[in-house]
Amino acid sequence: MKFVMVPGGWQGGWVFDSVAAELRRDGHQVETVTLAGLEPDGPADAARPPNLDTHVDQVAEIIDRGDGTPVALCGHSYGGMVIAGVADRLGDRLDQLVFIDAYVPDDGDSCWSLTSDRFRELFISGARADGRWVEVPDGLDPRARPHPLASFVQSIRLRGNPGRAPGRTFISGGAWPGSPFLTLTERLRDDPTWRVHEIPVGHNIARRDPQSLAAVLGALPGASA
């Protein structure tokens, strides 16, 4: 199986390095994505921040150029918005869709509308300097970069692609201060169309317990090497 992994806010594909190493040892292909504007050397055009559509287009292009290998598309946090948009467009190209302590939007939702007051305040205070880029919160990796505010506030448009739906998995980081995902986790536990796992280490699962995350991903249907 091929894993395409989309990070959350402020982070790049590097956040999945340890998880990817575990999966590759088990024979899987892994492509980690650094979303537009989050490049290590900064955005190509700071005056024109990318939005959610830009990020969906970017990841959809990665899926579109695939060779037919079954794909598990994984998104952490804000990355859930991105993978939902890709799945709506290219669901018949995906085998599994994995939300890693991530937003699971319906049509018209945004990261802004789905998150908690704590994060809305963080977005606004972080963008105070120029109204375009949300500065990196304290405590993140030094490789983290300011995140485009437009991608946090843009509403997603989901058409409800009638093609084959991929399997859907939600991986919870458990209860952590300010988590916007607790009610969502309980709702999905009661939904027979979802698989729900818990790795109770907090929001940044890939950093805090990459071995457990790789184990859950490697046990997805169709992922046995």
Side-chain angles (χ1 to χ4, degrees):
M1 176 169 282
K2 178 176 182 177
F3 291 89
V4 176
M5 312 193 77
V6 181
W10 302 282
Q11 302 182 99
W14 47 262
V15 77
F16 294 115
D17 283 352
S18 296
V19 180
E22 296 277 338
L23 291 169
R24 288 176 181 132
R25 273 195 289 270
D26 289 336
H28 300 292
Q29 301 175 44
V30 183
E31 182 165 355
T32 62
V33 180
T34 294
L35 294 170
L38 283 299
E39 298 88 353
D41 55 355
D45 184 353
R48 300 181 63 188
N51 59 17
L52 177 59
D53 285 343
T54 310
H55 291 159
V56 171
D57 289 346
Q58 177 185 355
V59 177
E61 184 178 346
I62 292 170
I63 301 301
D64 213 26
R65 68 170 189 249
D67 60 3
T69 301
V71 172
L73 179 58
C74 310
H76 172 242
S77 195
Y78 163 75
M81 301 294 300
V82 179
I83 69 171
V86 175
D88 186 65
R89 188 183 305 179
L90 297 173
D92 55 347
R93 302 284 301 276
L94 303 174
D95 191 70
Q96 301 290 328
L97 200 61
V98 184
F99 294 80
I100 305 169
D101 219 44
Y103 301 98
V104 180
D106 292 321
D107 181 51
D109 286 335
S110 64
C111 186
W112 175 271
S113 71
L114 292 176
T115 201
S116 60
D117 287 343
R118 173 186 173 185
F119 280 97
R120 281 188 281 267
E121 291 167 7
L122 187 153
F123 296 165
I124 292 301
S125 64
R128 189 182 299 120
D130 64 5
R132 293 188 176 114
W133 297 89
V134 182
E135 65 184 28
V136 179
D138 293 340
L140 287 189
D141 188 284
R143 293 170 289 184
R145 294 291 179 266
H147 193 98
L149 179 63
S151 69
F152 284 150
V153 300
Q154 184 184 8
S155 297
I156 196 167
R157 293 302 170 202
L158 302 175
R159 300 164 299 172
N161 191 329
R164 179 182 67 86
R168 293 176 183 260
T169 297
F170 187 87
I171 302 174
S172 168
W176 47 271
S179 172
F181 306 117
L182 299 180
T183 301
L184 170 64
T185 301
E186 293 312 306
R187 174 167 62 83
L188 296 181
R189 284 190 200 281
D190 295 331
D191 187 332
T193 67
W194 284 80
R195 297 179 184 84
V196 177
H197 298 269
E198 185 165 329
I199 304 175
V201 295
H203 187 45
N204 287 300
I205 301 172
R207 183 181 67 189
R208 293 186 173 179
D209 194 349
Q211 292 81 14
S212 293
L213 179 54
V216 171
L217 296 175
L220 290 173
S224 54

